[in-house]
Amino acid sequence: MLKKNIYIPIEHKNREFLSQILLTSFALKKGFRIYIGNFRGIFKLLSKKKEKSGIFFMKGGLNKKLTNFVKRKCDKYVILDQEVSPGFGVKFYIDWVSNRFYEKTLSSIDLYFCPNKNVLSATKQNYLFKKYKVPTFLSGWTRVDTWRSIFKDLHKNKIRSLKKKYGNFIFFCSDFGVTCKQDFNEYLDAKNLPPDIKKKDIEKFTKQRLFYATKIFEEYQKFILFLKKIDNKKNCPNILIRSHPAESLYGWNRDLKKLKNVRFIKPTELVDPYVFACSGFVHRGSTTTYQAILANKPIVYLKLSNRIFKTFFNVKNNLNDRRNILNCSKIIKKEKELISWAKKSKKNVIIKQHKKINKELNIRSKFAAEYMVEQIDKLYCKKENKLKSFFKEISLLDSFVYKVKNFLSMILAIKKRDFSKTKVRKIHKGIKNKEIKDILLRLKKVLKLNHLKNLSIEQVSDSVVEIEKS
């Protein structure tokens, strides 16, 4: 059957997957067919298309070659930048919104979704967005949708399992970014330079990043020392530390392995059940703090560095609005303060800022996913048939070349980085139809989405799934 197709590539599964499935659930109601999967699989799928059709839904900027490829294959190129998170002022966003793209690709954007009014205002003031007349729309953020309290029921089995395993626990969701030498190397890698940075600015930019990375690492070391001290205290609570997906696992595994009451968990699964299950949340300004606030959790800001504190909460320059989450937090500097706080119950919850938080997150009566689908449905898009057969993401030739390179590396004794010791894979265990079926079934029950029945959910490649109403 001919239908309008939406193509959704996933980069970080544990951060983007649930929110994109929520978007999918509302797109199904409008009669779309959705292909969701890893980047390699989605681009391989597009390469098989003979006609220009469909809508490509992307999280950020692509290089010029890939952008041109998408525009040859798809009618529309739509952006919801998952990295442009809430919590900053308009002035900060003005540069940020365009720095995520190569300039010459901005004219290719058919619709740019804004998570809140500050981002929308920034796009109206951004020189490049105005130059290329990028269409924008105030939608909200699908990831924020999944933070609403109603989604607690979506994770009830996992929440029950975590409470049984850990009892009452304090949860810290890391956003240090630099925890060991491997992180330093990646943080300063040339491949992570902003798109279109001028050669004359590279040295200055790299020095600034090195300075900032050094200060963050110093704070990380203070945090590890804090954990070691509190771990030796008689009444130390159970503490769970979850690293950021972009952080190396090496530093955390090395620094926490001898602690009794502090446990480290890899970021291989959704953070949401941990937030809902914890008895208290500790942060240093991370975006996940908003989620903990919406879940009505007692919250602590651990102040170990004045420099980092000023970076996140400098009200004078009007760049950062994360003072709202600070006002929902108890500021703690010492081990005994955290122990005393952890003993108390829900009395620690500060709810006076909730209206401001809701405004900052742009939470309205409808989900952001609904607003997005309504706008996507208005875009012109040629209908197309469904994919007829399963395809391999990696050809036999690609597989052969990979094996040869591996063999040569062993012969030449080239030291390879042990991935399992440094980072969690972005697409952990792939993207499979069974897990999408499970999430859609739970969404149907929790959100009472009665249209989610008679669905066809097929695996069309190793990590690409096709979803439509039968």
Side-chain angles (χ1 to χ4, degrees), residues 194-231:
D196 291 337
I197 189 171
K198 295 177 182 178
K199 281 188 177 181
K200 65 182 181 67
D201 296 328
I202 291 178
E203 184 178 355
K204 180 181 177 182
F205 179 83
T206 303
K207 284 183 179 179
Q208 288 175 339
R209 282 180 72 86
L210 176 60
F211 177 79
Y212 185 64
T214 302
K215 295 303 175 184
I216 290 177
F217 185 62
E218 288 174 1
E219 187 193 4
Y220 167 77
Q221 291 176 311
K222 290 179 181 178
F223 180 64
I224 294 299
L225 182 60
F226 180 94
L227 292 177
K228 288 180 177 179
K229 287 181 178 179
I230 199 171
D231 189 64

Side-chain angles (χ1 to χ4, degrees), residues 447-465:
L447 302 181
K448 296 180 172 58
L449 301 177
N450 294 324
H451 66 274
L452 295 180
K453 57 185 178 181
N454 300 323
L455 300 180
S456 171
I457 305 173
E458 301 294 334
Q459 196 80 41
V460 296
S461 80
D462 306 287
S463 283
V464 176
V465 177

Side-chain angles (χ1 to χ4, degrees), residues 67-109:
T67 301
N68 291 339
F69 171 76
V70 168
K71 293 296 287 185
R72 287 197 309 271
K73 295 292 183 177
C74 298
D75 286 318
K76 301 298 178 183
Y77 179 47
V78 177
I79 301 291
L80 171 65
D81 196 336
Q82 298 275 0
E83 304 302 326
V84 180
S85 56
F88 300 93
V90 175
K91 290 181 181 179
F92 187 85
Y93 286 124
I94 288 174
D95 289 331
W96 194 4
V97 292
S98 62
N99 282 349
R100 297 267 300 144
F101 298 89
Y102 292 92
E103 180 181 341
K104 293 182 180 179
T105 67
L106 285 167
S107 60
S108 299
I109 299 174

Side-chain angles (χ1 to χ4, degrees), residues 4 54-55 75-76 376-383:
K4 293 190 289 186
I55 296 168
D75 286 318
K76 301 298 178 183
I376 290 173
D377 194 38
K378 293 176 182 178
L379 298 173
Y380 168 79
C381 173
K382 184 178 179 181
K383 293 182 179 180

Side-chain angles (χ1 to χ4, degrees), residues 339-355:
I339 290 174
S340 175
W341 171 83
K343 283 182 179 180
K344 297 178 182 178
S345 62
K346 284 270 186 177
K347 293 179 181 179
N348 286 309
V349 178
I350 304 172
I351 61 173
K352 64 181 180 180
Q353 291 293 114
H354 272 210
K355 286 185 178 180

Side-chain angles (χ1 to χ4, degrees), residues 418-441:
D418 187 345
F419 200 96
S420 65
K421 289 184 179 178
T422 55
K423 277 192 177 182
V424 166
R425 295 185 184 276
K426 292 180 178 181
I427 303 291
H428 184 64
K429 296 183 179 179
I431 293 176
K432 306 299 179 185
N433 59 349
K434 287 183 178 180
E435 59 186 333
I436 291 180
K437 286 178 182 178
D438 175 61
I439 294 174
L440 286 172
L441 180 61

